[in-house]
Amino acid sequence: MISTLFRILIAALILGASSAWSQQPIVIKFSHVVAANTPKGQAADLFKKLAEERTAGRVKVEVYPNSQLYKDKEELEAMELGAVQMLAPSASKFGPMGLNAFEVFDLPYLIPDRVVLRRVLDGDIGRRLMKLLEAKGIVGLGFWDNGFKQMSANRPLHLPADFKGLKMRIKSSKVLDAQMRALGALPQVLSFSEVYQALQTGVVDGAENSLPNLLTQKFYEVQKYLALSNHGYDGYVVIANKKFWDGLPPDIRAILDKTILEVSAFENAQSLIENDEAIQKIKATGRTQVYSLSAEETAAWRKVLLPVHKSMESRIGKEWIDAIYKESAALGYKY
Ligand code: LMR
């Protein structure tokens, strides 16, 4: 009798504990390095809102913007350790993990426009790149746009000769290192969160970035000139810790996968709008001179930068570069 009662009691306790446990929300820490009012920041917040609504609170997404939790390199390490579940780093930041193929996007003047970009990301190349992440315990969930990059400094940059001796901040990419050297500059790797101060104190003289980042980080306060050069592309890869993602209850994972698709469409549309608007907003500050490169100037940049495609072939893998050339050629683009 006692033992039956005892067994019932234990069973009730276990049941109670497990139902209490199952009521604990699944927490997703989503860390990123940019401001909340950038396309990436807004998309992360939208993902939080929709994920929490659609799972009726079974999932809780904590978004940490502005390198609050981790800086560039740390965030990828934190994901490997399972300390953070979702990130959206720039593709350039996968090189140090040995995923050099992602540096293909850093090749100057490789992606001519967003039409080619979409063919690349939404097609076979994008799918194959995502697959590469798995070996690192990462699952790729989507590509988010950041925009074409512009070049800023405290001296006007019109021709490659203007870069001579300038210390230019780059992300941790060997391709960007080669790009800056081809222009005659001295590249310096810095985390995104360190850029403003480095520009302010003269640790570096200039940088390249997308317009929403230039605006929201107020780089225009510490850079006198901004060349609208569109010399390269920068985009994000939304990723999750694979073990975590695969371990989610299937119904939850299905909701989150679908939500990511929708949020990716929002992010890509928003980025387009905000890249356009940022030009006007930066101009309106009156703090920096914004100018476009002339056709002759662009030709001079291309002349020194296009050879970087060849010199970085062995690092990135020729097949990735050729695959993108093929997509561009299909749309009639010539390098
Ligand atoms: C940078 O480091 O310049 C960018 O990748 C930051 C970002 O995430 O947009």
Side-chain angles (χ1 to χ4, degrees):
M1 181 67 187
I2 289 174
S3 89
T4 311
L5 248 176
F6 186 67
R7 274 206 303 273
I8 292 170
L9 201 66
I10 294 286
L13 276 174
I14 291 172
L15 212 70
S18 76
S19 80
W21 185 81
S22 68
Q23 277 158 19
Q24 291 290 318
I26 298 164
V27 176
I28 299 180
K29 287 196 168 78
F30 188 154
S31 174
H32 68 82
V33 299
V34 295
N37 58 342
T38 53
K40 171 161 71 177
Q42 292 170 59
D45 290 346
L46 179 63
F47 174 72
K48 170 189 168 64
K49 180 176 175 288
L50 296 179
E52 291 180 353
E53 271 170 22
R54 291 172 180 182
T55 59
R58 284 169 70 201
V59 168
K60 185 166 181 288
V61 182
E62 295 173 359
V63 180
Y64 298 93
N66 264 325
S67 311
Q68 240 172 52
L69 210 53
Y70 301 109
K71 297 200 276 187
D72 296 348
K73 190 166 161 282
E74 297 163 4
E75 66 175 17
L76 281 158
E77 287 164 2
M79 171 162 284
E80 274 188 299
L81 296 172
V84 64
Q85 289 71 40
M86 278 181 80
L87 303 172
S90 162
S92 321
K93 291 175 187 169
F94 291 97
M97 297 179 82
L99 295 166
N100 302 354
F102 283 85
E103 289 182 357
V104 75
F105 295 105
D106 293 333
L107 286 172
Y109 298 115
L110 177 69
I111 305 284
D113 55 34
R114 280 194 169 78
V115 185
V116 172
L117 178 74
R118 293 271 45 109
R119 272 179 77 106
V120 168
L121 296 181
D122 300 339
D124 185 52
I125 301 174
R127 271 193 297 278
R128 285 194 294 127
L129 281 169
M130 289 301 204
K131 196 104 190 89
L132 293 181
L133 296 169
E134 286 176 16
K136 302 287 173 188
I138 294 173
V139 56
L141 301 171
F143 291 107
W144 287 2
D145 188 49
N146 183 14
F148 285 88
K149 291 178 294 180
Q150 322 302 339
M151 205 72 90
S152 68
N154 283 321
R155 70 162 83 133
L157 302 169
H158 286 282
L159 291 168
D162 299 326
F163 283 85
K164 199 169 163 41
L166 285 189
K167 285 176 279 164
M168 298 295 287
R169 180 265 171 170
I170 54 163
K171 292 175 281 182
S172 56
S173 153
K174 292 281 184 260
V175 174
L176 295 179
D177 183 284
Q179 170 199 269
M180 288 302 185
R181 287 183 200 282
L183 284 165
L186 304 165
Q188 196 152 325
V189 175
L190 286 175
S191 280
F192 185 63
S193 57
E194 295 162 348
V195 179
Y196 183 94
Q197 211 187 0
L199 291 170
Q200 190 179 37
T201 55
V203 168
V204 288
D205 304 301
E208 58 172 6
N209 224 305
S210 70
L211 288 158
N213 280 345
L214 276 147
L215 174 70
T216 54
Q217 296 296 319
K218 299 192 167 75
F219 291 159
Y220 57 81
E221 290 180 352
V222 286
Q223 295 279 266
K224 293 200 179 82
Y225 298 93
L226 172 57
L228 300 176
S229 50
N230 292 306
H231 61 278
Y233 177 73
D234 192 24
Y236 306 122
V237 192
V238 188
I239 55 173
N241 178 298
K242 187 164 165 30
K243 214 162 127 201
F244 170 81
W245 205 257
D246 290 349
L248 287 170
D251 61 326
I252 295 274
R253 198 171 58 235
I255 295 173
L256 298 185
D257 281 337
K258 187 170 165 287
T259 303
I260 282 285
L261 280 181
E262 280 175 49
V263 173
S264 299
F266 161 82
E267 202 278 348
N268 288 316
Q270 194 64 13
S271 174
L272 204 60
I273 297 169
E274 294 198 16
N275 268 276
D276 276 354
E277 287 181 358
I279 299 182
Q280 304 314 325
K281 289 182 181 162
I282 293 170
K283 279 185 180 163
T285 66
R287 301 286 293 266
T288 190
Q289 256 190 59
V290 184
Y291 57 94
S292 297
L293 296 184
S294 68
E296 292 74 31
E297 288 166 354
T298 301
W301 286 46
R302 288 174 64 89
K303 188 158 180 251
V304 298
L305 289 176
L306 282 174
V308 175
H309 294 196
K310 185 93 194 138
S311 67
M312 286 289 112
E313 224 174 61
S314 61
R315 176 173 173 85
I316 296 167
K318 188 174 182 306
E319 68 278 16
W320 294 102
I321 306 174
D322 285 345
I324 296 182
Y325 284 163
K326 216 172 128 197
E327 296 298 340
S328 298
L331 292 167
Y333 183 79
K334 289 191 185 69
Y335 289 92

